Amino acid sequence: MISAAAGTAAVLLAATTTGCGGESAAAAQEGSVSAAQLLAKTRSCDRISQGTYRTDEEKKPSVPVCGTRGAVYFTADMDVDCDGQRTSKCNEQTDPWYQPDTAYHDSADRPLRADRLPYVVIPGPSRIWDHRRAGVQGGDVVAVVHGGRVRYAVVGDLGPKEIIGEASHAAARALGVDPDPARGGTDGPVTYVVFPGSRVSPLESHAAAVRLGDRLARKFVGAD
């Protein structure tokens, strides 16, 4: 078991390193809970969705939403979302599907900034699953696992009602995934662990998401 002091040091190191946006951000570990620990806890599925989701329009539905005490999770791909504030990386020229708004806003009531804030897109409410019934809300912390890496994000946007597996430009980059909204992303597997009722304040603070996410992840895997 990692000591509380070591865990805190890891979180602070990650929060500092990931803000740089360079190659070191992809190499650093956010928090004290490993990818293996999170994947072990999400290996089985108590399905809470009424059906399954597609990962892309042309794919057959195959992804259930699973739930356990304190967490909602699913394993899918990762498409890149560049919606929100218009920047040099996220705009109509870089993203053919660009929208200048996000379902949830920052503390100044502005759309989120996809190239700076790691956030996850969840499906809009439907007959398959309504995130609100599971207590999931905008700003809730998400642990995202891919390629042996763990990164923390927030629920930042709503997507198509029958498709799952999407995250912001910044989230993709932090996981070592090509963040190009037109040609990037990955077929996965990417595991998303959402902690209902954990809304980060302010929503745009990635450092706050890392601190809270690490604490919740440690509880989830039984490290505390």
Side-chain angles (χ1 to χ4, degrees):
M1 180 181 296
I2 299 175
S3 69
T8 300
V11 172
L12 293 176
L13 172 63
T16 302
T17 307
T18 54
C20 299
E23 189 61 27
S24 58
Q29 174 72 30
E30 282 190 334
S32 59
V33 177
S34 70
Q37 287 174 295
L38 286 167
L39 293 177
K41 290 292 292 187
T42 58
R43 192 169 292 125
S44 61
C45 177
D46 183 4
R47 194 170 82 179
I48 61 173
S49 58
Q50 296 302 307
T52 54
Y53 287 94
R54 304 172 186 272
T55 54
D56 293 296
E57 281 188 11
E58 69 276 10
K59 301 287 180 64
K60 294 181 179 180
S62 62
V63 178
V65 176
C66 312
T68 188
R69 185 175 181 178
V72 169
Y73 55 92
F74 53 90
T75 297
D77 64 350
M78 180 182 284
D79 296 324
V80 178
D81 185 20
C82 236
D83 291 345
Q85 294 184 41
R86 188 177 285 103
T87 69
S88 61
K89 294 184 176 68
C90 293
N91 55 63
E92 293 87 348
Q93 284 69 49
T94 62
D95 180 2
W97 306 279
Y98 174 76
Q99 298 292 325
D101 201 4
T102 49
Y104 306 108
H105 288 185
D106 65 17
S107 58
D109 198 27
R110 297 170 301 191
L112 302 182
R113 182 167 169 172
D115 67 347
R116 179 175 292 175
L117 179 68
Y119 70 73
V120 167
V121 182
I122 59 175
S126 72
R127 60 177 179 78
I128 302 175
W129 181 59
D130 186 337
H131 63 277
R132 298 169 298 187
R133 293 181 181 175
V136 175
Q137 59 186 336
D140 280 353
V141 180
V142 188
V144 190
V145 184
H146 172 66
R149 295 170 178 159
V150 179
R151 296 291 180 269
Y152 290 97
V154 294
V155 174
D157 203 1
L158 297 177
K161 295 181 178 181
E162 296 185 349
I163 297 176
I164 204 165
E166 188 175 6
S168 69
H169 183 287
R173 188 176 67 245
L175 285 160
V177 172
D178 182 353
D180 187 300
R183 299 179 298 276
T186 177
D187 288 335
V190 181
T191 297
Y192 305 80
V193 183
V194 186
F195 299 105
S198 61
R199 183 178 173 88
V200 172
S201 182
L203 189 152
E204 66 271 18
S205 173
H206 181 59
V210 174
R211 287 193 297 269
L212 179 56
D214 186 63
R215 179 166 61 82
L216 294 171
R218 287 177 63 81
K219 184 177 181 181
F220 178 59
V221 302
D224 283 332

